[in-house]
Amino acid sequence: MIERTETPTPASTPSKTWDVAIVGAGYVGVPLACTFATAGRSVLLVDVLPKVVDALNRGESHIEDVPSDLLAPLVADGRLTATSDYDALRGADAILIALPTPLSKQREPDLSIVLAATQEIAKRLREGQLVVLESTTYPGTTREKLLPILESTGLKAGEDFNLAFSPERVDPGSPWDVKEVPKVVGGITEECSRRAAELYGTAIGTVHTVSSPEAAELTKLLENIFRSVNIALVNELAQLCDRMGIDVWEVVDAAATKPFGFMSFKPGPGLGGHCIPIDPFYLTWKAREFGFTTEFIELAGKVNEAMPYYCRSLISQALNHRKQKSMSGSQILVLGVAYKPDIGDVRESPALKLIELLRNAGASVAYHDPHVPSVPELGLESVPLDPGQYDCVTIVTDHSSIDYSALVDQAELVVDLRNATGQKGRDSDKVWKL
């Protein structure tokens, strides 16, 4: 049976209500909304979660990088409002899409959230509006996926409305403010690029225009692939250094003294966050369409994904050699489960995989993280930091609030995957380092 789909009808032009509407009130959408609102633009945040919408309209932020005392005045002044009603998009001059683009279980791009939102936008699209995709994706998504949906309204991109891609560059926990990070913009037409650049220029210091959405889409992927490949290099080097009896951290620090031609990357238990563990696979998937294998990217992914397994082996060795204990039955404290220091974000955190592996090996695992009170998917809550109670303390995330010198003194055994214990760890026979 052939299913019939209803073609959305262009909406009549209402009076303007919002300068900018942002679909998705998450790690990208909320900081971006505050940036535009602080610059004097009227902003609407659209999100499907009523709990999130209600909190935002009370001036309460659920995003660590946006304190409530920054958000609340913008809400009180009427410059920023949240809603779950897509119909409100009709009153916006510009609509920005800032939604998740995860991978499927088969490690293939899952654009279902973005495309569902685009269908909703198409039902309300009107002449003169600008639509910009910010979600990280493979080259061709804006033109091949979003454009046909939006043009099914009968409106034409570059003439009746404008469509562009501008990759988000949010780094949770970073000192970089959204307005300080240059915006890359690529439109379907020159007019689309001009409109998008004009919009971002009202709130962000520098806008860099590229020739197409595809160039902008690939720019974001290159940024994250660059980090993935270089992290994989030092992760592989760390394993070699272990066999050679060389301190990899000492080597990296020494190489970093060179003022040119070298950029320091650190080894660790694996990759975390939404970007680096996921985004490179968007390009490897797309490359296959062109009969091309992205060997560097796939090798880097293989090395980085194997690091939690290597770290499990390192913990097992430390228990065996230091305490003559097997993994099974050992009491292990994982210190830090966030994917990076001083934030509470556990998306794709290597700590979650490591805890799973330690449990599968028979260990009893607890965790302490001052930024993450609970991890429901593991059925765990953060415990008080009492290192002496455990056979081994494993430093997975090096939060700055922890006294690592005291930790070395109090713990029976420390496996340091982040070089958090520094020189004291090098000098102590209780500390095993990655």
Side-chain angles (χ1 to χ4, degrees):
M1 183 179 73
I2 299 176
E3 294 184 2
R4 297 183 60 188
T5 57
E6 181 181 349
T7 300
T9 303
S12 58
T13 304
S15 58
K16 179 183 122 177
T17 308
W18 310 101
D19 294 322
V20 184
I22 300 172
V23 180
Y27 287 89
V28 175
V30 174
L32 189 60
C34 288
T35 299
F36 275 112
T38 301
R41 312 308 299 269
S42 57
V43 183
L44 177 71
L45 270 168
V46 180
D47 199 276
V48 297
L49 297 176
K51 180 178 176 182
V52 168
V53 168
D54 292 344
L56 289 169
N57 284 331
R58 292 193 301 268
E60 300 170 5
S61 174
H62 61 291
I63 303 299
E64 286 182 275
D65 287 347
V66 179
S68 294
D69 58 6
L70 170 64
L71 175 68
L74 301 174
V75 173
D77 291 348
R79 282 180 282 170
L80 194 156
T81 302
T83 184
S84 294
D85 185 4
Y86 269 86
D87 285 340
L89 294 177
R90 292 190 172 101
D93 277 352
I95 302 171
L96 313 184
I97 303 171
L99 292 168
T101 49
L103 292 173
S104 70
K105 291 181 179 180
Q106 293 74 35
R107 309 296 284 174
E108 294 183 346
D110 179 1
L111 298 178
S112 59
I113 299 172
V114 166
L115 297 183
T118 305
Q119 294 281 2
E120 294 299 320
I121 292 168
K123 296 174 185 176
R124 286 94 176 167
L125 189 67
R126 61 173 174 80
E127 290 188 16
Q129 283 184 314
L130 166 68
V131 179
V132 182
L133 177 62
E134 290 225 353
S135 307
T136 305
T137 185
Y138 58 82
T141 300
T142 306
R143 190 184 305 275
E144 298 166 10
K145 298 294 185 180
L146 272 66
L147 180 62
I149 294 173
L150 297 174
E151 287 193 337
S152 70
T153 61
L155 299 176
K156 186 170 178 60
E159 297 178 9
D160 305 308
F161 73 98
N162 294 285
L163 176 62
F165 182 83
S166 180
E168 60 88 4
R169 283 173 155 177
V170 173
D171 183 16
S174 166
W176 289 98
D177 190 272
V178 173
K179 66 177 180 292
E180 298 171 335
V181 181
K183 258 304 196 175
V184 173
V185 168
I188 293 292
T189 67
E190 288 187 10
E191 176 60 16
C192 293
S193 294
R194 187 196 67 78
R195 277 288 310 278
E198 180 181 62
L199 170 70
Y200 286 111
T202 64
I204 293 171
T206 302
V207 179
H208 180 87
T209 302
V210 293
S211 61
S212 66
E214 290 81 5
E217 289 158 342
L218 187 52
T219 297
K220 170 64 175 182
L221 295 181
L222 174 60
E223 293 168 5
N224 290 330
I225 290 166
F226 172 80
R227 295 188 63 197
S228 174
V229 168
N230 282 280
I231 291 170
L233 172 63
V234 292
N235 278 337
E236 189 170 66
L237 186 64
Q239 297 177 55
L240 175 61
C241 282
D242 179 40
R243 297 191 186 191
M244 299 177 73
I246 300 172
D247 187 334
V248 67
W249 302 96
E250 182 182 14
V251 172
V252 171
D253 287 346
T257 63
K258 185 179 180 181
F260 57 89
F262 181 82
M263 183 176 291
S264 179
F265 287 84
K266 309 293 186 184
L271 300 179
H274 177 266
C275 292
I276 304 178
I278 294 176
D279 295 350
F281 293 103
Y282 269 68
L283 188 59
T284 62
W285 177 85
K286 184 65 174 180
R288 291 197 291 271
E289 180 182 322
F290 297 88
F292 190 87
T293 301
T294 52
E295 295 185 28
F296 265 44
I297 300 171
E298 294 183 19
L299 179 58
K302 180 180 178 181
V303 171
N304 290 327
E305 287 181 352
M307 285 306 292
Y309 295 87
Y310 175 73
C311 292
R312 176 194 58 184
S313 298
L314 197 65
I315 295 167
S316 179
Q317 291 175 40
L319 283 165
N320 183 268
H321 290 284
R322 173 70 186 178
K323 302 195 68 177
Q324 292 75 52
K325 291 198 67 172
S326 69
M327 181 83 75
S328 181
S330 291
Q331 304 287 320
I332 298 176
L333 178 68
V334 168
L335 187 52
V337 294
Y339 83 85
K340 63 186 291 189
D342 302 330
I343 66 171
D345 192 346
V346 298
R347 290 178 298 169
E348 304 292 325
S349 172
L352 307 186
K353 182 63 177 181
L354 182 57
I355 290 173
E356 177 190 332
L357 294 173
L358 294 173
R359 282 175 158 180
N360 290 344
S364 175
V365 184
Y367 86 88
H368 172 80
D369 193 310
H371 299 273
V372 184
S374 65
V375 184
E377 57 264 46
L378 295 177
L380 293 174
E381 294 184 354
S382 180
V383 301
L385 181 56
D386 189 355
Q389 288 189 1
Y390 299 90
D391 295 309
C392 176
V393 178
T394 301
I395 303 171
V396 179
T397 310
D398 49 338
H399 293 304
S400 62
S401 59
I402 305 296
D403 185 339
Y404 294 102
S405 178
L407 175 73
V408 173
D409 292 336
Q410 297 167 21
E412 295 183 19
L413 173 65
V414 177
V415 175
D416 184 358
L417 305 178
R418 297 290 188 180
N419 195 34
T421 59
Q423 187 61 48
K424 185 164 186 174
R426 289 193 182 103
D427 297 338
S428 173
D429 61 359
K430 295 195 298 182
V431 178
W432 286 60
K433 287 196 173 187
L434 177 64

